[in-house]
Amino acid sequence: IRLQLENQNMRELDKVEVRVRSAVVTKDYSTTLGPLEKKTLTFDVELNPQTPAQSDALSVSIVVPESDKAYQFDLIPVSFIIVPFGGVVPYVEDNSSFFKNTQTVALINEGNKEVVHRYRVPAWFGKRIFIASTPDYVVEDGDMVWEVNLGVAEQKNLVIVYNYRPLIWLILLVILGTVAYFVFRS
């Protein structure tokens, strides 16, 4: 925020208080102004990234205190908008063991607005037989889809388990059955 002050008097102003206010900004500054002096003040304002999208008005008051009274000058408020930004970032952690893979997907809303995120994993029918998840998924166009509501800075986790062990047990059972058939046939 940049303010330009100008003393239009021939008098020295020993104390000039500048107050900048809005719903999300509160800044105070104190300075001096010499006779007919012009001065530019710069305020650095850093908003919290989780500040929701909104319209706001920035008002500036300049107060010059005297010994027995104070003079206050209020500037016309300046409107500004905090725009919505950001989105959901998935962080995937894999944990593999013997023919079993567990994926933990952390969905984090890094924006400043509430979102509904759709996380998709392509999986054909044969592959979906071996997949379990928490929460449950919905099948759309051959993909597994999770629809997750996330508030500002909220995190939700999906756990997807790919378990191919029953297939291995089935193959071993068929091999043992075939061997037993040839061993024990009369």
Side-chain angles (χ1 to χ4, degrees):
I1 300 172
R2 194 172 308 144
L3 296 173
Q4 188 166 6
L5 301 177
E6 181 179 352
N7 184 0
Q8 296 180 345
N9 295 315
M10 293 298 293
R11 199 175 84 167
E12 175 91 22
L13 299 176
D14 294 330
K15 187 172 184 183
V16 177
E17 296 174 3
V18 179
R19 297 179 186 141
V20 180
R21 301 283 189 270
S22 80
V24 294
V25 177
T26 302
K27 290 282 188 177
D28 292 326
Y29 191 77
S30 186
T31 187
T32 61
L33 279 175
L36 302 175
E37 180 183 5
K38 291 181 181 180
K39 186 181 275 188
T40 301
L41 301 177
T42 303
F43 297 94
D44 291 329
V45 177
E46 186 173 322
L47 297 178
N48 184 341
Q50 298 172 1
T51 303
Q54 59 185 303
S55 296
D56 202 353
L58 186 72
S59 61
V60 178
S61 296
I62 299 170
V63 178
V64 181
E66 292 288 324
S67 58
D68 55 344
K69 57 184 169 182
Y71 299 99
Q72 180 170 339
F73 305 98
D74 294 323
L75 301 177
I76 298 171
V78 177
S79 297
F80 67 95
I81 298 173
I82 299 174
V83 296
F85 70 91
V88 176
V89 178
Y91 296 97
V92 180
E93 179 183 321
D94 280 327
N95 185 7
S96 295
S97 60
F98 181 71
F99 286 100
K100 185 176 183 180
N101 183 16
T102 303
Q103 280 186 346
T104 304
V105 181
L107 300 173
I108 303 171
N109 184 359
E110 294 184 348
N112 67 346
K113 64 178 180 173
E114 186 175 315
V115 295
V116 176
H117 182 71
R118 296 171 58 84
Y119 186 75
R120 300 180 86 83
V121 174
W124 60 284
F125 173 74
K127 185 176 181 180
R128 286 196 304 265
I129 294 172
F130 302 104
I131 297 175
S133 71
T134 305
D136 290 331
Y137 59 87
V138 177
V139 178
E140 277 184 16
D141 299 327
D143 293 346
M144 299 182 307
V145 177
W146 292 265
E147 195 167 289
V148 181
N149 294 327
L150 293 167
V152 175
E154 187 177 7
Q155 173 180 335
K156 289 192 178 173
N157 293 331
L158 305 175
V159 179
I160 306 168
V161 179
Y162 302 87
N163 188 1
Y164 299 106
R165 289 178 183 169
L167 182 62
I168 299 302
W169 288 114
L170 182 65
I171 292 171
L172 286 175
L173 190 62
V174 168
I175 291 172
L176 285 175
T178 305
V179 168
Y181 171 75
F182 285 111
V183 169
F184 294 115
R185 73 178 172 176
S186 44

